[in-house]
Amino acid sequence: MTMQPIHATAVARHTPAGWRGALIQGPSGVGKSDLALRLIGQGWRLIADDWTHLWASSGALYAAAPTAITGKIEVRGLGIVAAPLWPMTRIVLAVACTHEPVERLPEAAAWTWDGVMIPQLRLDPRPASAGQVVATALAAL
């Protein structure tokens, strides 16, 4: 098992299958941390903000925070603050954040890391409903 850091934020929630997470990706300033903060407000837990250790094991993806940033999230306009943490989770959804228009009824998409493919949701993180869209997508898996 080799953990590699990836520029992404990871959050998780408890599901009937146990803790499952979403990997929130996109360029700097797109709103990854803001989306994570809204999900945390809905009861999700932070895995890692901005940089996430990601690895594949037994056909699944897992994420954890680098030690230096464990339990911390950037809140734009406020700074770095503590957040409710979950130390590690299985990642089952990739969220590709964009400010470009998103199709209303898109074709299914996937994202692959180290040979493991997971569903990918393309999303503009700015609307108030973005957190609920992520929660709905994760619940459907």
Side-chain angles (χ1 to χ4, degrees):
M1 170 182 75
T2 302
M3 280 195 271
Q4 295 182 311
I6 182 172
H7 182 225
T9 293
V11 290
R13 75 180 309 167
H14 195 266
T15 72
W19 285 91
R20 297 294 184 260
L23 187 69
I24 305 170
Q25 303 168 292
S28 293
V30 77
K32 298 181 297 292
S33 297
D34 183 75
L35 177 57
L37 191 63
R38 285 182 275 152
L39 287 166
I40 291 165
Q42 295 176 12
W44 293 57
R45 298 290 181 92
L46 178 69
I47 302 299
D49 182 42
D50 203 37
W51 286 98
T52 300
H53 282 305
L54 192 63
W55 69 96
S57 179
S58 301
L61 290 179
Y62 295 89
T67 303
I69 62 170
T70 298
K72 299 174 185 169
I73 189 168
E74 178 185 346
V75 178
R76 195 168 294 265
L78 186 60
I80 308 297
V81 301
L85 172 71
W86 193 254
M88 181 192 81
T89 197
R90 180 175 174 181
I91 297 294
V92 296
L93 178 67
V95 179
C97 292
T98 181
H99 289 175
E100 300 298 320
V102 177
E103 291 183 45
R104 289 178 59 202
L105 301 170
E107 295 290 324
W111 182 76
T112 303
W113 177 267
D114 200 16
V116 177
M117 186 182 332
I118 59 174
Q120 182 183 55
L121 170 67
R122 190 166 175 263
L123 179 72
D124 183 341
R126 296 174 294 183
S129 63
Q132 190 58 46
V133 172
V134 173
T136 300
L138 189 124
L141 298 176

